Amino acid sequence: EENNNSAQAKIVGYILGKSEGNPFKGHVTAIAVHPEYRERGYAKRMMKEFEGTAKKEGCSFIDLFVDVQNDKALTFYKNLGYRIHRKVHHYYGDGKHAIDMHKVLGSDGDKRKEAYGEDIDASQLTRWNIF
């Protein structure tokens, strides 16, 4: 948070994302804002910054996953131009599902015309195994 009266800055939120794949895409892994600082535009600013960086890096689109029951987050991402791509069953564990959302960057006509994808089970996703 910017504070003109002090030389100290305060961390009020974060975004964690990456570029990956072929075609090259951006992926938002996590975004959070401290409860006292929500509804002030921080999440939107972080998303816009990430989108700009992903576009500069040559990503054709960004994807992210949202809990199917998190209406506030779904509305937030829809208002930023993200579209529902598909439902991913059991993404958050047994019985907890996610919505896979995409936003096209630039003029990728094929991605822009992409229809609703086929719902899948989380076990069908390619995941990074780091351990």
Side-chain angles (χ1 to χ4, degrees):
E1 174 181 47
E2 295 178 27
N3 184 345
N4 294 331
N5 298 325
S6 171
Q8 291 188 344
K10 186 184 292 187
I11 296 173
V12 299
Y14 68 88
I15 187 168
L16 178 63
K18 61 184 176 181
S19 300
E20 64 183 1
N22 185 15
F24 209 44
K25 69 171 183 164
H27 175 74
V28 176
T29 304
I31 184 169
V33 175
H34 188 284
E36 291 179 22
Y37 294 90
R38 291 183 183 156
E39 306 295 330
R40 297 186 193 183
Y42 290 111
K44 183 177 181 179
R45 286 180 15 206
M46 288 188 290
M47 286 296 296
K48 292 294 185 187
E49 184 70 25
F50 181 77
E51 290 170 5
T53 300
K55 191 172 183 177
K56 284 181 203 168
E57 293 294 321
C59 295
S60 60
F61 70 100
I62 294 175
D63 72 348
L64 52 85
F65 296 92
V66 182
D67 186 321
V68 72
Q69 296 179 341
N70 190 340
D71 292 331
K72 191 169 186 174
L74 289 166
T75 298
F76 171 74
Y77 293 119
K78 285 179 183 176
N79 287 340
L80 289 176
Y82 288 79
R83 292 182 22 227
I84 293 174
H85 175 60
R86 62 185 170 186
K87 186 176 185 179
V88 182
H89 298 275
H90 311 291
Y91 184 80
Y92 297 107
D94 193 32
K96 296 191 181 224
H97 315 303
I99 298 295
D100 180 4
M101 300 185 82
H102 292 186
K103 180 175 183 176
V104 175
L105 302 176
S107 60
D108 185 340
D110 290 339
K111 195 72 181 159
R112 237 177 245 293
K113 293 183 241 174
E114 184 176 67
Y116 184 87
E118 184 178 329
D119 291 353
I120 63 169
D121 188 81
S123 64
Q124 295 171 272
L125 291 173
T126 303
R127 295 189 185 233
W128 293 84
N129 293 319
I130 58 173
F131 299 104

